[in-house]
Amino acid sequence: MSFIRNLFKFVYSKLFLIQLVIAVAMIAILSYVTLEWLDGTTNHNQRIVVPSLSKKTLDEVGKVLEEKELRYEVQDSANFNPDFPRYSVIEQNPIAGSEVKENRKIYVTLNPSGYRKIEVPDVVQRTKRQAEPKLIALGFKIGTVTYQPNIAKDMVLELRHKGKRLKPGTKLMKTSTIDLVLGDGQQGTINLSN
């Protein structure tokens, strides 16, 4: 009982109250100084508007960002986009118009030099209905469709590119045109006459 009484006496004593006021004042002063220091070192409220880097070369990107006190890093190239010049920026993060702090890194994605090469799948001996979607899904275009005598109607007999026969596994640029040679469903006529 006397311990609790002594504790209350100490808590309500002048000495404790003075130390409490001094401690609160010191915490407030340290917090203010710390916040001011952080504000000064992190350039708080100083924002830079990210410029548009679209269709710019890396040399142009370097100059534009250096003037704004920003940095850049090139990410992997994306799929080729014919609407953009080769080796130019097609995407950036953060996007143009965003506000960032000084020395922020801007990530850019470049347009490659051309479409990448893709393996021609093995669609020989498959129906046209099976082959066309597979070729289109890979990024190829379907060109002319010709027919040859063969009992299997609409079965792919061969694939051609620029007149040359293609073997499965051959690599062609994406968006290349592939011509199909299909069976016409007719049994070839046999000439028995001499």
Side-chain angles (χ1 to χ4, degrees):
M1 196 73 146
S2 69
F3 172 73
I4 294 173
R5 204 176 291 152
N6 287 339
L7 181 64
F8 276 119
K9 269 186 182 178
F10 176 71
V11 168
Y12 290 107
S13 70
K14 246 186 199 179
L15 179 64
F16 178 75
L17 291 175
I18 290 170
Q19 288 179 348
L20 183 64
V21 169
I22 290 171
V24 169
M26 290 298 289
I27 289 172
I29 291 169
L30 280 173
S31 297
Y32 176 77
V33 169
T34 303
L35 288 173
E36 286 299 312
W37 177 77
L38 283 173
D39 203 25
T41 58
T42 60
N43 297 327
H44 186 66
N45 292 333
Q46 292 181 353
R47 299 286 186 179
I48 298 169
V49 177
V50 177
S52 173
L53 305 173
S54 182
K55 297 186 178 181
K56 292 191 181 334
T57 65
L58 274 184
D59 288 340
E60 294 168 328
V61 166
K63 289 175 187 172
V64 169
L65 293 182
E66 190 176 317
E67 289 173 9
K68 297 263 186 184
E69 296 184 16
L70 297 170
R71 300 174 295 142
Y72 74 92
E73 183 176 312
V74 177
Q75 293 185 318
D76 286 340
S77 296
N79 288 331
F80 180 71
N81 186 335
D83 298 334
F84 287 77
R86 292 176 179 188
Y87 305 113
S88 69
V89 174
I90 59 174
E91 287 178 19
Q92 70 182 75
N93 185 20
I95 60 170
S98 302
E99 291 185 353
V100 295
K101 293 181 181 179
E102 177 183 309
N103 206 28
R104 170 71 191 266
K105 193 179 281 186
I106 310 298
Y107 296 93
V108 295
T109 304
L110 299 180
N111 199 21
S113 62
Y115 289 110
R116 60 188 170 99
K117 289 193 171 188
I118 301 170
E119 276 189 23
V120 174
D122 187 3
V123 292
V124 175
Q125 299 297 312
R126 302 265 170 100
T127 65
K128 177 183 175 189
R129 213 170 97 195
Q130 293 171 321
E132 275 188 343
K134 190 167 190 174
L135 292 168
I136 291 168
L138 289 171
F140 296 115
K141 293 178 183 173
I142 304 300
T144 58
V145 177
T146 55
Y147 290 90
Q148 287 184 354
N150 190 294
I151 196 164
K153 181 163 177 55
D154 286 335
M155 181 177 17
V156 177
L157 302 176
E158 60 185 68
L159 303 173
R160 294 186 170 271
H161 176 65
K162 295 183 179 177
K164 293 182 181 172
R165 189 174 186 168
L166 287 175
K167 292 181 182 174
T170 304
K171 288 193 173 192
L172 289 179
M173 292 286 227
K174 188 176 180 179
T175 74
S176 293
T177 301
I178 295 179
D179 302 323
L180 303 177
V181 179
L182 307 176
D184 63 2
Q186 305 287 321
Q187 180 91 26
T189 54
I190 301 171
N191 187 359
L192 297 175
S193 62
N194 288 335

